[in-house]
């Protein structure tokens, strides 16, 4: 599933995963859970908190392992550039590529207002989808926090990185005829 940050990839993939009984593989969540892992390129945090892409070698290794272990999957947050798209083509076949097309002003509103549960990962929005009690998860009572990279400056950079690196991936799959 492709789309800019804030397009709704996480929300929609979760639904697809439940509906079709496939695994939801989210590179962003896996990296967030391993933010301070030492790699040959430094830690993921150094890239993520600045809104930059984590180096391909790190992300490709994660995806190869997850895809290899899954009996059916929806990939969320990957591929983010053409080199990753080529790596993916070499390790598996895709049935379809979903693209969520959302305007830039809407992306910024969604991301800067997004809050996530620090316990269960459930997603809220201060304006569009508030928790019953401000700051507290409806599902598990965990604390709702803003992601380090959902601040206005980092959001602007993430959208720039999307246009530069990921928008060409959409065109790649459109040309292949796989895009929905
Ligand atoms: P996300 O939750 O998908 O918005 O991802 C959060 C951050 O994780 C991104 O801004 C990147 O720093 C990193 N990340 C996630 N997926 C990838 C990927 N496929 N390639 C490189 N970096 C990634």
């Amino acid at each position: 599933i492709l789309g800019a940050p804030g397009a709704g990839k996480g929300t929609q993939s979760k639904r697809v995963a439940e509906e079709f009984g496939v695994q939801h593989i989210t590179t962003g969540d896996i990296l967030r859970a391993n933010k301070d892992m030492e790699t040959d390129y430094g830690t993921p945090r150094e890239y993520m908190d600045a809104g930059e892409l984590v180096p391909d070698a790190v992300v490709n290794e994660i995806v190869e392992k997850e895809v290899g272990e899954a009996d059916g999957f929806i990939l969320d947050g990957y591929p983010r550039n053409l080199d990753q798209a080529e790596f993916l083509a070499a390790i598996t076949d895709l049935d379809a590529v979903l693209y969520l097309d959302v305007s830039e002003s809407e992306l910024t509103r969604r991301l800067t207002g997004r809050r996530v549960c620090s316990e269960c990962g459930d997603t809220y929005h201060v304006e569009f989808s508030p928790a019953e009690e401000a700051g507290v998860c409806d599902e598990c009572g965990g604390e709702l926090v803003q992601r380090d990279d959902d601040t206005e400056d980092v959001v602007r950079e993430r959208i720039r990185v999307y246009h530069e690196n990921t928008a060409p991936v959409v065109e790649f799959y459109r040309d292949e005829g796989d895009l929905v």
Side-chain angles (χ1 to χ4, degrees), residues 5-6 9 26-29 31-32 44 47-56 59-60 63 76-81 84 111 114 147 149-150 154 158 161:
K9 297 186 298 292
T26 319
T27 50
D29 283 352
L31 289 166
R32 264 185 294 283
Y47 303 89
M48 297 172 77
D49 286 358
E52 308 300 330
L53 296 183
V54 173
D56 290 345
V59 186
N60 288 345
V63 168
D76 164 9
Y78 183 100
R80 281 282 229 282
N81 60 33
Q84 293 181 7
L111 289 170
R114 173 163 67 181
R147 264 170 57 170
D149 59 353
D150 277 346
V154 183
R158 288 165 65 203
V161 166

mmCIF file of all heavy atoms in Angstrom, residues 5-6 9 26-29 31-32 44 47-56 59-60 63 76-81 84 111 114 147 149-150 154 158 161, ligand 1:
data_model
loop_
_atom_site.group_PDB
_atom_site.id
_atom_site.type_symbol
_atom_site.label_atom_id
_atom_site.label_comp_id
_atom_site.label_asym_id
_atom_site.label_seq_id
_atom_site.Cartn_x
_atom_site.Cartn_y
_atom_site.Cartn_z
ATOM 1 N N PRO A 5 2.993 10.181 3.791
ATOM 2 C CA PRO A 5 2.784 10.088 5.231
ATOM 3 C C PRO A 5 1.449 10.752 5.582
ATOM 4 O O PRO A 5 1.180 11.856 5.117
ATOM 5 C CB PRO A 5 3.942 10.909 5.824
ATOM 6 C CG PRO A 5 4.952 11.037 4.749
ATOM 7 C CD PRO A 5 4.234 10.905 3.442
ATOM 8 N N GLY A 6 0.605 10.080 6.348
ATOM 9 C CA GLY A 6 -0.683 10.655 6.726
ATOM 10 C C GLY A 6 -1.810 10.315 5.768
ATOM 11 O O GLY A 6 -2.963 10.693 5.989
ATOM 12 N N LYS A 9 -2.319 4.857 5.305
ATOM 13 C CA LYS A 9 -1.817 3.510 5.009
ATOM 14 C C LYS A 9 -2.012 2.566 6.195
ATOM 15 O O LYS A 9 -2.439 1.434 6.027
ATOM 16 C CB LYS A 9 -0.312 3.552 4.643
ATOM 17 C CG LYS A 9 0.005 4.346 3.394
ATOM 18 C CD LYS A 9 1.481 4.232 3.011
ATOM 19 C CE LYS A 9 2.434 4.791 4.055
ATOM 20 N NZ LYS A 9 2.360 6.261 4.202
ATOM 21 N N THR A 26 4.596 -3.545 8.736
ATOM 22 C CA THR A 26 4.763 -2.090 8.747
ATOM 23 C C THR A 26 6.212 -1.759 9.072
ATOM 24 O O THR A 26 6.636 -1.885 10.223
ATOM 25 C CB THR A 26 3.886 -1.455 9.845
ATOM 26 O OG1 THR A 26 2.635 -2.107 9.863
ATOM 27 C CG2 THR A 26 3.716 0.020 9.630
ATOM 28 N N THR A 27 6.957 -1.304 8.086
ATOM 29 C CA THR A 27 8.375 -1.027 8.353
ATOM 30 C C THR A 27 8.531 0.090 9.390
ATOM 31 O O THR A 27 9.433 0.030 10.226
ATOM 32 C CB THR A 27 9.133 -0.671 7.054
ATOM 33 O OG1 THR A 27 8.406 0.333 6.349
ATOM 34 C CG2 THR A 27 9.295 -1.888 6.191
ATOM 35 N N GLY A 28 7.637 1.096 9.362
ATOM 36 C CA GLY A 28 7.734 2.199 10.330
ATOM 37 C C GLY A 28 7.614 1.691 11.764
ATOM 38 O O GLY A 28 8.381 2.102 12.641
ATOM 39 N N ASP A 29 6.650 0.791 11.998
ATOM 40 C CA ASP A 29 6.459 0.265 13.368
ATOM 41 C C ASP A 29 7.656 -0.588 13.793
ATOM 42 O O ASP A 29 8.101 -0.520 14.935
ATOM 43 C CB ASP A 29 5.192 -0.606 13.452
ATOM 44 C CG ASP A 29 3.924 0.235 13.501
ATOM 45 O OD1 ASP A 29 4.036 1.474 13.623
ATOM 46 O OD2 ASP A 29 2.825 -0.352 13.407
ATOM 47 N N LEU A 31 10.717 -0.358 12.727
ATOM 48 C CA LEU A 31 11.858 0.541 12.982
ATOM 49 C C LEU A 31 11.679 1.309 14.288
ATOM 50 O O LEU A 31 12.628 1.477 15.050
ATOM 51 C CB LEU A 31 12.048 1.506 11.812
ATOM 52 C CG LEU A 31 12.572 0.873 10.525
ATOM 53 C CD1 LEU A 31 12.407 1.834 9.351
ATOM 54 C CD2 LEU A 31 14.038 0.485 10.678
ATOM 55 N N ARG A 32 10.432 1.761 14.564
ATOM 56 C CA ARG A 32 10.194 2.495 15.820
ATOM 57 C C ARG A 32 10.489 1.610 17.025
ATOM 58 O O ARG A 32 10.987 2.071 18.043
ATOM 59 C CB ARG A 32 8.748 3.013 15.897
ATOM 60 C CG ARG A 32 8.611 4.473 15.447
ATOM 61 C CD ARG A 32 7.203 5.011 15.644
ATOM 62 N NE ARG A 32 6.251 4.334 14.787
ATOM 63 C CZ ARG A 32 6.115 4.583 13.492
ATOM 64 N NH1 ARG A 32 6.835 5.530 12.916
ATOM 65 N NH2 ARG A 32 5.254 3.912 12.754
ATOM 66 N N PRO A 44 18.526 3.707 13.590
ATOM 67 C CA PRO A 44 17.373 4.229 12.848
ATOM 68 C C PRO A 44 16.929 5.606 13.345
ATOM 69 O O PRO A 44 16.516 6.456 12.558
ATOM 70 C CB PRO A 44 16.297 3.169 13.096
ATOM 71 C CG PRO A 44 17.059 1.902 13.285
ATOM 72 C CD PRO A 44 18.305 2.312 14.024
ATOM 73 N N TYR A 47 17.906 8.877 11.579
ATOM 74 C CA TYR A 47 17.206 9.212 10.335
ATOM 75 C C TYR A 47 15.750 9.574 10.614
ATOM 76 O O TYR A 47 15.219 10.534 10.070
ATOM 77 C CB TYR A 47 17.249 8.016 9.372
ATOM 78 C CG TYR A 47 18.662 7.581 9.070
ATOM 79 C CD1 TYR A 47 19.317 6.638 9.861
ATOM 80 C CD2 TYR A 47 19.356 8.147 8.003
ATOM 81 C CE1 TYR A 47 20.625 6.259 9.595
ATOM 82 C CE2 TYR A 47 20.665 7.772 7.723
ATOM 83 C CZ TYR A 47 21.290 6.826 8.525
ATOM 84 O OH TYR A 47 22.576 6.465 8.256
ATOM 85 N N MET A 48 15.107 8.777 11.456
ATOM 86 C CA MET A 48 13.660 8.916 11.656
ATOM 87 C C MET A 48 13.289 10.248 12.290
ATOM 88 O O MET A 48 12.335 10.896 11.872
ATOM 89 C CB MET A 48 13.144 7.755 12.505
ATOM 90 C CG MET A 48 13.343 6.418 11.808
ATOM 91 S SD MET A 48 12.969 5.020 12.856
ATOM 92 C CE MET A 48 11.177 5.037 12.798
ATOM 93 N N ASP A 49 14.036 10.670 13.303
ATOM 94 C CA ASP A 49 13.684 11.916 13.987
ATOM 95 C C ASP A 49 13.907 13.134 13.101
ATOM 96 O O ASP A 49 13.399 14.206 13.386
ATOM 97 C CB ASP A 49 14.450 12.051 15.312
ATOM 98 C CG ASP A 49 13.902 11.114 16.380
ATOM 99 O OD1 ASP A 49 12.916 10.403 16.089
ATOM 100 O OD2 ASP A 49 14.454 11.082 17.493
ATOM 101 N N ALA A 50 14.651 12.958 12.011
ATOM 102 C CA ALA A 50 14.865 14.054 11.067
ATOM 103 C C ALA A 50 13.918 13.948 9.871
ATOM 104 O O ALA A 50 13.924 14.805 8.997
ATOM 105 C CB ALA A 50 16.313 14.046 10.587
ATOM 106 N N GLY A 51 13.119 12.878 9.818
ATOM 107 C CA GLY A 51 12.196 12.706 8.705
ATOM 108 C C GLY A 51 12.834 12.107 7.467
ATOM 109 O O GLY A 51 12.226 12.082 6.399
ATOM 110 N N GLU A 52 14.083 11.613 7.605
ATOM 111 C CA GLU A 52 14.779 11.029 6.447
ATOM 112 C C GLU A 52 14.531 9.526 6.375
ATOM 113 O O GLU A 52 14.108 8.904 7.349
ATOM 114 C CB GLU A 52 16.291 11.270 6.572
ATOM 115 C CG GLU A 52 16.701 12.721 6.812
ATOM 116 C CD GLU A 52 16.250 13.667 5.704
ATOM 117 O OE1 GLU A 52 16.140 13.218 4.544
ATOM 118 O OE2 GLU A 52 15.991 14.840 6.010
ATOM 119 N N LEU A 53 14.843 8.932 5.215
ATOM 120 C CA LEU A 53 14.702 7.486 5.076
ATOM 121 C C LEU A 53 15.860 6.764 5.764
ATOM 122 O O LEU A 53 17.009 7.203 5.677
ATOM 123 C CB LEU A 53 14.674 7.085 3.596
ATOM 124 C CG LEU A 53 13.492 7.598 2.775
ATOM 125 C CD1 LEU A 53 13.569 7.059 1.349
ATOM 126 C CD2 LEU A 53 12.163 7.216 3.415
ATOM 127 N N VAL A 54 15.546 5.671 6.424
ATOM 128 C CA VAL A 54 16.561 4.778 6.987
ATOM 129 C C VAL A 54 17.230 4.081 5.792
ATOM 130 O O VAL A 54 16.550 3.772 4.797
ATOM 131 C CB VAL A 54 15.881 3.772 7.949
ATOM 132 C CG1 VAL A 54 16.849 2.707 8.431
ATOM 133 C CG2 VAL A 54 15.262 4.524 9.138
ATOM 134 N N PRO A 55 18.557 3.838 5.832
ATOM 135 C CA PRO A 55 19.227 3.258 4.661
ATOM 136 C C PRO A 55 18.590 1.946 4.167
ATOM 137 O O PRO A 55 18.132 1.121 4.969
ATOM 138 C CB PRO A 55 20.656 3.022 5.167
ATOM 139 C CG PRO A 55 20.850 4.078 6.196
ATOM 140 C CD PRO A 55 19.519 4.213 6.885
ATOM 141 N N ASP A 56 18.574 1.779 2.851
ATOM 142 C CA ASP A 56 17.922 0.630 2.216
ATOM 143 C C ASP A 56 18.381 -0.705 2.793
ATOM 144 O O ASP A 56 17.567 -1.608 2.997
ATOM 145 C CB ASP A 56 18.215 0.628 0.703
ATOM 146 C CG ASP A 56 17.495 1.761 -0.010
ATOM 147 O OD1 ASP A 56 16.566 2.356 0.572
ATOM 148 O OD2 ASP A 56 17.878 2.059 -1.163
ATOM 149 N N VAL A 59 16.481 -1.591 5.947
ATOM 150 C CA VAL A 59 15.048 -1.829 5.754
ATOM 151 C C VAL A 59 14.825 -3.084 4.901
ATOM 152 O O VAL A 59 13.932 -3.895 5.189
ATOM 153 C CB VAL A 59 14.381 -0.597 5.103
ATOM 154 C CG1 VAL A 59 12.884 -0.776 5.025
ATOM 155 C CG2 VAL A 59 14.713 0.664 5.888
ATOM 156 N N ASN A 60 15.649 -3.268 3.869
ATOM 157 C CA ASN A 60 15.491 -4.438 3.007
ATOM 158 C C ASN A 60 15.644 -5.741 3.798
ATOM 159 O O ASN A 60 14.912 -6.714 3.559
ATOM 160 C CB ASN A 60 16.522 -4.419 1.873
ATOM 161 C CG ASN A 60 16.221 -3.354 0.832
ATOM 162 O OD1 ASN A 60 15.113 -2.813 0.786
ATOM 163 N ND2 ASN A 60 17.197 -3.047 -0.001
ATOM 164 N N VAL A 63 12.480 -6.415 5.714
ATOM 165 C CA VAL A 63 11.371 -6.829 4.851
ATOM 166 C C VAL A 63 11.574 -8.252 4.331
ATOM 167 O O VAL A 63 10.631 -9.057 4.296
ATOM 168 C CB VAL A 63 11.194 -5.829 3.685
ATOM 169 C CG1 VAL A 63 10.260 -6.373 2.618
ATOM 170 C CG2 VAL A 63 10.656 -4.495 4.226
ATOM 171 N N ASP A 76 3.172 -2.133 4.383
ATOM 172 C CA ASP A 76 2.771 -0.753 4.681
ATOM 173 C C ASP A 76 4.029 0.062 4.999
ATOM 174 O O ASP A 76 4.729 -0.226 5.954
ATOM 175 C CB ASP A 76 1.790 -0.849 5.867
ATOM 176 C CG ASP A 76 1.541 0.454 6.587
ATOM 177 O OD1 ASP A 76 1.973 1.505 6.101
ATOM 178 O OD2 ASP A 76 0.901 0.393 7.647
ATOM 179 N N GLY A 77 4.312 1.042 4.148
ATOM 180 C CA GLY A 77 5.500 1.886 4.380
ATOM 181 C C GLY A 77 6.717 1.421 3.606
ATOM 182 O O GLY A 77 7.820 1.926 3.803
ATOM 183 N N TYR A 78 6.525 0.483 2.737
ATOM 184 C CA TYR A 78 7.604 -0.081 1.921
ATOM 185 C C TYR A 78 7.003 -0.575 0.615
ATOM 186 O O TYR A 78 5.931 -1.184 0.667
ATOM 187 C CB TYR A 78 8.265 -1.239 2.676
ATOM 188 C CG TYR A 78 9.454 -1.869 1.964
ATOM 189 C CD1 TYR A 78 10.747 -1.536 2.307
ATOM 190 C CD2 TYR A 78 9.252 -2.790 0.930
ATOM 191 C CE1 TYR A 78 11.827 -2.101 1.649
ATOM 192 C CE2 TYR A 78 10.330 -3.347 0.265
ATOM 193 C CZ TYR A 78 11.607 -3.007 0.639
ATOM 194 O OH TYR A 78 12.681 -3.563 -0.013
ATOM 195 N N PRO A 79 7.606 -0.374 -0.537
ATOM 196 C CA PRO A 79 8.873 0.308 -0.798
ATOM 197 C C PRO A 79 8.725 1.835 -0.797
ATOM 198 O O PRO A 79 7.695 2.360 -1.203
ATOM 199 C CB PRO A 79 9.250 -0.196 -2.193
ATOM 200 C CG PRO A 79 7.951 -0.537 -2.850
ATOM 201 C CD PRO A 79 7.041 -1.001 -1.762
ATOM 202 N N ARG A 80 9.780 2.512 -0.369
ATOM 203 C CA ARG A 80 9.771 3.971 -0.249
ATOM 204 C C ARG A 80 10.616 4.630 -1.338
ATOM 205 O O ARG A 80 10.654 5.849 -1.431
ATOM 206 C CB ARG A 80 10.382 4.403 1.084
ATOM 207 C CG ARG A 80 9.514 4.306 2.312
ATOM 208 C CD ARG A 80 8.523 5.408 2.433
ATOM 209 N NE ARG A 80 8.422 6.119 3.695
ATOM 210 C CZ ARG A 80 7.809 5.696 4.799
ATOM 211 N NH1 ARG A 80 7.303 4.503 4.867
ATOM 212 N NH2 ARG A 80 7.700 6.475 5.851
ATOM 213 N N ASN A 81 11.341 3.844 -2.117
ATOM 214 C CA ASN A 81 12.090 4.410 -3.259
ATOM 215 C C ASN A 81 12.240 3.308 -4.314
ATOM 216 O O ASN A 81 11.840 2.152 -4.093
ATOM 217 C CB ASN A 81 13.465 4.972 -2.820
ATOM 218 C CG ASN A 81 14.354 3.915 -2.202
ATOM 219 O OD1 ASN A 81 14.292 2.746 -2.585
ATOM 220 N ND2 ASN A 81 15.201 4.308 -1.255
ATOM 221 N N GLN A 84 14.245 0.095 -3.443
ATOM 222 C CA GLN A 84 13.474 -0.832 -2.604
ATOM 223 C C GLN A 84 12.433 -1.571 -3.451
ATOM 224 O O GLN A 84 12.191 -2.764 -3.247
ATOM 225 C CB GLN A 84 12.784 -0.086 -1.458
ATOM 226 C CG GLN A 84 13.760 0.495 -0.435
ATOM 227 C CD GLN A 84 13.064 1.216 0.716
ATOM 228 O OE1 GLN A 84 11.846 1.185 0.849
ATOM 229 N NE2 GLN A 84 13.858 1.872 1.559
ATOM 230 N N LEU A 111 -1.438 14.684 10.133
ATOM 231 C CA LEU A 111 -0.226 14.252 10.844
ATOM 232 C C LEU A 111 0.038 15.061 12.106
ATOM 233 O O LEU A 111 0.362 14.497 13.149
ATOM 234 C CB LEU A 111 0.993 14.355 9.919
ATOM 235 C CG LEU A 111 1.038 13.321 8.808
ATOM 236 C CD1 LEU A 111 2.132 13.661 7.826
ATOM 237 C CD2 LEU A 111 1.256 11.929 9.381
ATOM 238 N N ARG A 114 -2.279 14.011 14.836
ATOM 239 C CA ARG A 114 -2.313 12.585 15.171
ATOM 240 C C ARG A 114 -1.731 12.331 16.565
ATOM 241 O O ARG A 114 -0.734 12.926 16.957
ATOM 242 C CB ARG A 114 -1.509 11.798 14.131
ATOM 243 C CG ARG A 114 -1.348 10.317 14.490
ATOM 244 C CD ARG A 114 -0.931 9.489 13.329
ATOM 245 N NE ARG A 114 0.404 9.777 12.842
ATOM 246 C CZ ARG A 114 0.949 9.138 11.797
ATOM 247 N NH1 ARG A 114 0.262 8.225 11.148
ATOM 248 N NH2 ARG A 114 2.169 9.448 11.398
ATOM 249 N N ARG A 147 3.920 11.302 17.950
ATOM 250 C CA ARG A 147 5.159 10.717 17.433
ATOM 251 C C ARG A 147 6.218 11.798 17.301
ATOM 252 O O ARG A 147 5.901 12.933 16.936
ATOM 253 C CB ARG A 147 4.884 10.106 16.050
ATOM 254 C CG ARG A 147 4.599 8.615 16.097
ATOM 255 C CD ARG A 147 4.105 8.087 14.783
ATOM 256 N NE ARG A 147 5.022 8.349 13.664
ATOM 257 C CZ ARG A 147 4.887 7.815 12.455
ATOM 258 N NH1 ARG A 147 3.895 6.979 12.215
ATOM 259 N NH2 ARG A 147 5.732 8.102 11.498
ATOM 260 N N ASP A 149 8.179 12.359 15.054
ATOM 261 C CA ASP A 149 8.289 12.912 13.696
ATOM 262 C C ASP A 149 6.961 13.473 13.178
ATOM 263 O O ASP A 149 6.827 13.755 12.002
ATOM 264 C CB ASP A 149 8.858 11.867 12.726
ATOM 265 C CG ASP A 149 8.019 10.610 12.632
ATOM 266 O OD1 ASP A 149 7.049 10.464 13.410
ATOM 267 O OD2 ASP A 149 8.326 9.775 11.766
ATOM 268 N N ASP A 150 5.966 13.664 14.062
ATOM 269 C CA ASP A 150 4.703 14.283 13.635
ATOM 270 C C ASP A 150 4.648 15.779 13.959
ATOM 271 O O ASP A 150 3.596 16.402 13.865
ATOM 272 C CB ASP A 150 3.501 13.575 14.293
ATOM 273 C CG ASP A 150 3.091 12.305 13.541
ATOM 274 O OD1 ASP A 150 3.535 12.114 12.392
ATOM 275 O OD2 ASP A 150 2.310 11.516 14.105
ATOM 276 N N VAL A 154 9.180 18.436 11.009
ATOM 277 C CA VAL A 154 9.556 17.107 10.507
ATOM 278 C C VAL A 154 8.523 16.623 9.487
ATOM 279 O O VAL A 154 8.879 15.992 8.492
ATOM 280 C CB VAL A 154 9.751 16.096 11.660
ATOM 281 C CG1 VAL A 154 10.222 14.750 11.124
ATOM 282 C CG2 VAL A 154 10.749 16.604 12.686
ATOM 283 N N ARG A 158 9.209 15.161 5.825
ATOM 284 C CA ARG A 158 8.747 13.827 5.405
ATOM 285 C C ARG A 158 7.969 13.910 4.096
ATOM 286 O O ARG A 158 8.083 13.027 3.241
ATOM 287 C CB ARG A 158 7.882 13.200 6.496
ATOM 288 C CG ARG A 158 8.714 12.761 7.717
ATOM 289 C CD ARG A 158 7.840 12.493 8.920
ATOM 290 N NE ARG A 158 6.951 11.365 8.723
ATOM 291 C CZ ARG A 158 5.817 11.195 9.407
ATOM 292 N NH1 ARG A 158 5.441 12.080 10.300
ATOM 293 N NH2 ARG A 158 5.079 10.142 9.178
ATOM 294 N N VAL A 161 10.494 14.412 1.333
ATOM 295 C CA VAL A 161 11.177 13.143 1.055
ATOM 296 C C VAL A 161 10.242 12.210 0.264
ATOM 297 O O VAL A 161 10.672 11.507 -0.647
ATOM 298 C CB VAL A 161 11.640 12.480 2.379
ATOM 299 C CG1 VAL A 161 12.029 11.021 2.171
ATOM 300 C CG2 VAL A 161 12.800 13.264 2.979
HETATM 301 P P1 LIG B 1 6.128 5.662 8.801
HETATM 302 O O1 LIG B 1 5.599 5.205 10.105
HETATM 303 O O2 LIG B 1 5.811 4.730 7.662
HETATM 304 O O3 LIG B 1 5.754 7.097 8.478
HETATM 305 O O4 LIG B 1 7.731 5.623 8.922
HETATM 306 C C1 LIG B 1 8.379 6.421 9.880
HETATM 307 C C2 LIG B 1 9.850 6.586 9.509
HETATM 308 O O5 LIG B 1 10.473 5.292 9.476
HETATM 309 C C3 LIG B 1 10.102 7.187 8.154
HETATM 310 O O6 LIG B 1 10.055 8.609 8.166
HETATM 311 C C4 LIG B 1 11.510 6.658 7.861
HETATM 312 O O7 LIG B 1 12.487 7.363 8.617
HETATM 313 C C5 LIG B 1 11.436 5.240 8.425
HETATM 314 N N1 LIG B 1 10.982 4.266 7.407
HETATM 315 C C6 LIG B 1 9.822 3.547 7.403
HETATM 316 N N2 LIG B 1 9.737 2.765 6.319
HETATM 317 C C7 LIG B 1 10.885 2.996 5.607
HETATM 318 C C8 LIG B 1 11.387 2.509 4.371
HETATM 319 N N3 LIG B 1 10.704 1.639 3.621
HETATM 320 N N4 LIG B 1 12.597 2.975 3.960
HETATM 321 C C9 LIG B 1 13.314 3.855 4.685
HETATM 322 N N5 LIG B 1 12.879 4.368 5.847
HETATM 323 C C10 LIG B 1 11.678 3.944 6.321
#
